[in-house]
């Protein structure tokens, strides 16, 4: 069942059937005095309808449906500075995605709020997702993603991102509102939105309590592959941690010699993991629970026909991979000589303390189209500071 957030003004409407223009003016539904307004649209100026009424910088709106224009009356719900309930933003059917770009630079614990209603043929629901890299939208960490919209009555929609670390101090932060499928297939009807705000606590604020200093650096995932048995696709067991590996290429097996590069506890250079062509992605699932400042290291080489490069991407939701924030994503491999590859995720807050964290190693196109040749990996570790 969808949960609808109603302001006192909406409840007053439901019981007295008066126009929402008669509501007592709502300054803000956020009562915590630490919060500051970051971005705000009241849509009262029809000549600059989509321009932010107030912004600390970088805010914008984009609608992928039929068209948008102003509509009167708007709403007093979530209005700031006692702004009048004049115009609202009308998003006409056929509906499409509505992208709200709201950089959270310098702020944490951000909350998006807005007033919403619809006509009879407008979308009955609004589904929320967000992106922290500016491209890939997810719903991870949201307590509510679907909001029911009432016909001709504005309700308060509020999404709290305070539990999502990657939404903190993020210049790429955006929120996407998706409408129901029936509204995308008809030309009549619309949804109406007013008084969009993003509020947050300055990142330098002392409350809530500051994050403690990170602990010592430790290796918490490790594979040396010395225990691999012979044959195709043998079971791979981690020497340390609860991670897992998945190879999407032809098949894998063990190969000798391995490497002493990045070996832990003076482990011998026994076997390495041989990833045979036709190559495919290697998925490294490494939960980072109770760790931050994550770094991946491993030894790698190739045969003459093996992939000449390793390209690295990652996911913080377990599904959508990105390279955002990585200083280096492509690594050259030397034939028959093991090299140490190191990928530093310490600047990517979404990689911290994340049970869904995975890393993907992709091989070049040429190696995916031939059967001879292989890549070899040994002594794979993931390390980070303890929390």
């Amino acid at each position: 069942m969808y949960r609808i957030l109603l302001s006192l003004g909406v409840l007053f409407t439901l019981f007295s059937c008066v126009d929402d223009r008669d509501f007592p003016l709502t300054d803000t539904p956020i009562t915590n005095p630490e919060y500051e307004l970051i971005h705000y649209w009241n849509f009262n100026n029809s000549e600059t309808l989509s321009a932010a009424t107030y912004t600390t910088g970088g805010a914008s709106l984009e609608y992928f449906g039929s068209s948008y224009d102003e509509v009167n009356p708007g709403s007093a719900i979530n209005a700031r500075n006692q702004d009048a309930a004049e115009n609202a933003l009308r998003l006409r059917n056929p509906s499409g995605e509505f992208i709200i770009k709201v950089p959270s630079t310098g702020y944490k614990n951000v909350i998006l709020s807005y007033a919403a209603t619809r006509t009879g043929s407008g979308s009955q629901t609004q589904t929320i997702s967000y992106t922290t890299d500016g491209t890939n939208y997810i719903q991870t960490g949201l307590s509510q993603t679907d909001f029911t919209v009432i016909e001709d009555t504005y309700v308060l929609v509020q999404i709290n991102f305070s539990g999502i670390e990657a939404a903190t101090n993020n210049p790429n932060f955006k929120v996407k509102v998706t409408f129901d499928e029936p509204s995308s297939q008809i030309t009549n009807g619309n949804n109406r939105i007013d008084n969009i705000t993003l509020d947050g606590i300055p990142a330098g604020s002392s409350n809530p309590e500051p994050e403690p200093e990170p602990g010592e650096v430790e290796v918490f995932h490790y594979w040396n592959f010395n225990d691999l048995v012979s044959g195709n696709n043998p079971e791979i067991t981690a020497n340390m941690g609860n991670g897992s590996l998945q190879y999407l290429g032809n098949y894998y097996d063990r190969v000798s010699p391995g490497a002493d590069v990045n070996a832990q506890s003076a482990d011998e250079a026994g076997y390495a993991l041989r990833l045979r062509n036709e190559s495919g992605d290697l998925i490294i699932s490494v939960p980072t629970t109770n760790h931050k400042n994550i770094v991946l290291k491993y030894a790698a080489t190739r045969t003459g026909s093996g992939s000449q490069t390793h390209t690295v991407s990652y996911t913080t939701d377990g599904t959508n991979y990105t390279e955002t924030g990585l200083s280096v994503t492509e690594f050259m491999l030397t034939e028959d000589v093991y090299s140490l590859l190191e990928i530093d995720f310490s600047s990517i807050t979404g990689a911290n303390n994340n049970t869904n964290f995975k890393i993907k190693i992709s091989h070049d196109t040429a190696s995916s189209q031939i059967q001879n040749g292989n890549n070899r990996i040994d002594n794979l570790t993931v390390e980070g500071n303890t929390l």
Side-chain angles (χ1 to χ4, degrees):
M1 177 182 296
Y2 297 129
R3 176 165 56 89
I4 304 172
L5 299 176
L6 298 177
S7 73
L8 292 176
V10 173
L11 291 176
F12 183 82
T13 299
L14 293 176
F15 286 100
S16 62
C17 300
V18 297
D19 193 292
D20 73 287
R21 288 172 294 178
D22 298 325
F23 292 168
L25 288 175
T26 304
D27 181 43
T28 169
I30 298 173
T31 58
N32 187 333
E34 289 186 286
Y35 273 82
E36 295 181 1
L37 183 63
I38 308 171
H39 308 291
Y40 173 41
W41 290 261
N42 68 15
F43 305 110
N44 287 347
N45 189 336
S46 59
E47 295 183 359
T48 58
L49 190 63
S50 64
T53 309
Y54 170 80
T55 178
T56 57
S60 65
L61 304 175
E62 190 172 10
Y63 181 52
F64 290 92
S66 172
S67 63
Y68 67 84
D69 56 7
E70 76 274 10
V71 63
N72 186 280
S75 174
I77 296 172
N78 200 43
R80 304 303 171 90
N81 307 314
Q82 296 191 343
D83 289 348
E86 296 178 1
N87 295 329
L89 182 67
R90 176 166 49 192
L91 305 176
R92 293 184 177 273
N93 291 342
S95 66
E97 295 172 345
F98 181 50
I99 306 298
I100 307 171
K101 182 181 179 182
V102 278
S104 61
T105 308
Y107 290 88
K108 63 183 178 181
N109 299 343
V110 294
I111 299 174
L112 180 78
S113 310
Y114 61 90
T117 187
R118 64 179 177 87
T119 61
S121 299
S123 175
Q124 297 184 35
T125 59
Q126 295 184 4
T127 300
I128 303 297
S129 57
Y130 67 93
T131 177
T132 58
D133 62 14
T135 303
N136 299 292
Y137 286 85
I138 58 176
Q139 296 179 320
T140 304
L142 294 179
S143 60
Q144 182 178 356
T145 58
D146 293 307
F147 294 83
T148 297
V149 182
I150 299 174
E151 182 178 348
D152 295 332
T153 300
Y154 281 97
V155 297
L156 176 66
V157 176
Q158 192 167 81
I159 307 98
N160 192 335
F161 297 93
S162 60
I164 299 169
E165 188 175 4
T168 295
N169 193 27
N170 190 331
N172 299 312
F173 187 61
K174 301 178 187 178
V175 179
K176 178 167 66 176
V177 181
T178 305
F179 303 99
D180 65 24
E181 187 174 356
S183 68
S184 71
Q185 299 174 343
I186 57 176
T187 57
N188 60 303
N190 58 80
N191 274 61
R192 302 175 182 191
I193 288 177
D194 204 2
N195 301 324
I196 300 174
T197 59
L198 187 77
D199 296 273
I201 298 175
S205 174
S206 59
N207 292 313
E209 293 183 5
E211 185 177 344
E213 289 296 319
E216 295 296 322
V217 175
E218 66 176 10
V219 172
F220 58 99
H221 293 290
Y222 174 44
W223 289 264
N224 69 13
F225 306 110
N226 288 348
D227 295 328
L228 285 180
V229 299
S230 63
N232 297 345
N233 299 324
E235 181 180 1
I236 301 175
T237 302
N239 299 84
M240 182 185 302
N242 62 343
S244 63
L245 306 179
Q246 183 182 15
Y247 182 51
L248 304 180
N250 186 9
Y251 70 93
Y252 66 85
D253 57 4
R254 71 184 189 186
V255 64
S256 179
D260 56 12
V261 175
N262 201 43
Q264 305 295 301
S265 304
D267 290 347
E268 65 177 7
Y271 295 113
L273 180 67
R274 176 164 52 189
L275 307 176
R276 292 188 177 269
N277 292 344
E278 298 126 341
S279 67
D281 294 333
L282 176 66
I283 307 298
I284 307 170
S285 299
V286 279
T288 61
T289 309
N290 295 325
H291 291 86
K292 65 181 299 182
N293 300 330
I294 308 304
V295 178
L296 170 73
K297 298 178 183 179
Y298 63 93
T301 186
R302 64 179 178 87
T303 62
S305 300
S307 176
Q308 297 185 36
T309 59
H310 279 180
T311 301
V312 176
S313 57
Y314 67 93
T315 175
T316 57
D317 63 9
T319 303
N320 300 293
Y321 286 86
T322 180
E323 297 178 357
T324 301
L326 293 178
S327 59
V328 181
T329 59
E330 187 173 271
F331 298 83
M332 297 295 298
L333 304 183
T334 304
E335 182 178 347
D336 296 331
V337 176
Y338 281 100
S339 301
L340 177 64
L341 306 189
E342 183 172 337
I343 303 94
D344 189 346
F345 298 92
S346 60
S347 66
I348 299 167
T349 56
N352 298 333
N353 195 27
N354 188 334
T355 58
N356 297 313
F357 188 63
K358 299 179 184 179
I359 301 165
K360 179 167 67 177
I361 299 174
S362 300
H363 301 91
D364 64 25
T365 301
S367 66
S368 71
Q369 298 174 342
I370 57 175
Q371 291 187 337
N372 60 304
N374 58 80
N375 278 65
R376 302 175 182 191
I377 287 177
D378 204 3
N379 301 324
L380 192 154
T381 62
V382 176
E383 64 183 49
N385 294 96
T386 58
L387 290 174

